[in-house]
C-alpha cells in the first residue's frame, strides 16, 4: 500500500513539473515582437469554399523572422486581409496559445534600439 502511494505521488510530481515547464515556455513566447515586411514571403490563402472559414477571413499569410524586445529571434506566422507595404515595420502582439492577435505598423525609430540592427533602415 505504501509503495503504491509513493509511486502515485512520484507520478503526480513529474506531471506537475512537466506542466510547469510547459507553462513557462508558453508564457516566455508571449509579448511584443518586431518584424519587417518582405512580400516575397507572403502566400495567398485560397478559400476552401466551405461554410466555415478556418482562415479567419485572411487572404495572405506571412511567415517572417521577428525579434522580441530582448533580441530573441523567432519565426512568426500571421495572416492579413491584404498585402502589406514592402519594408514596413510591424509590432506584433503575440499570445502564448493564440499566436499573433494584433499588429500595428511602426516607424524605424520606434523599434527598440537593441533590435534595429536586425532590420534594413529606410532610405531617406
Amino acid at each position: 500500500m505504501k509503495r503504491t502511494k509513493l509511486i502515485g505521488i512520484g507520478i503526480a510530481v513529474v506531471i506537475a513539473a512537466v506542466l510547469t515547464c510547459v507553462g513557462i515556455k508558453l508564457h516566455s513566447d508571449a509579448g511584443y515582437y518586431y518584424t519587417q515586411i518582405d512580400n516575397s514571403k507572403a502566400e495567398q490563402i485560397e478559400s476552401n469554399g466551405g461554410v466555415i472559414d478556418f482562415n479567419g477571413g485572411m487572404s495572405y499569410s506571412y511567415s517572417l523572422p521577428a525579434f522580441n524586445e530582448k533580441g530573441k529571434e523567432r519565426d512568426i506566422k500571421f495572416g492579413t486581409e491584404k498585402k502589406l507595404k514592402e519594408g514596413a515595420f510591424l509590432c506584433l502582439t503575440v499570445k502564448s496559445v493564440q499566436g499573433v492577435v494584433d499588429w500595428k505598423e511602426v516607424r524605424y525609430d520606434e523599434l527598440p534600439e537593441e533590435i534595429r540592427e536586425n532590420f534594413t533602415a529606410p532610405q531617406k
Side-chain angles (χ1 to χ4, degrees), residues 19-124:
L19 291 175
T20 300
C21 289
V22 168
I24 289 170
K25 171 67 175 144
L26 288 176
H27 182 69
S28 68
D29 286 345
Y32 297 105
Y33 283 80
Y34 299 87
T35 191
Q36 188 171 20
I37 295 300
D38 177 356
N39 279 320
S40 71
K41 297 190 179 179
E43 293 181 28
Q44 189 163 9
I45 301 171
E46 297 296 324
S47 172
N48 62 8
V51 176
I52 299 174
D53 181 8
F54 292 105
N55 298 327
M58 301 299 168
S59 299
Y60 293 91
S61 174
Y62 284 88
S63 183
L64 299 168
F67 301 85
N68 69 7
E69 292 158 335
K70 295 178 182 176
K72 178 184 173 191
E73 183 177 1
R74 173 179 163 200
D75 283 337
I76 294 184
K77 188 172 186 174
F78 62 99
T80 64
E81 295 175 359
K82 60 181 180 170
K83 272 194 171 180
L84 301 176
K85 184 172 77 175
E86 181 69 27
F89 299 100
L90 299 183
C91 175
L92 308 169
T93 303
V94 179
K95 298 287 183 178
S96 300
V97 177
Q98 298 167 300
V100 176
V101 295
D102 190 28
W103 58 266
K104 67 177 181 176
E105 189 172 335
V106 295
R107 294 185 322 267
Y108 181 77
D109 61 351
E110 293 176 311
L111 297 172
E113 196 170 317
E114 302 79 32
I115 64 168
R116 286 185 196 160
E117 66 192 36
N118 298 303
F119 300 111
T120 305
Q123 301 297 320
K124 294 187 180 201

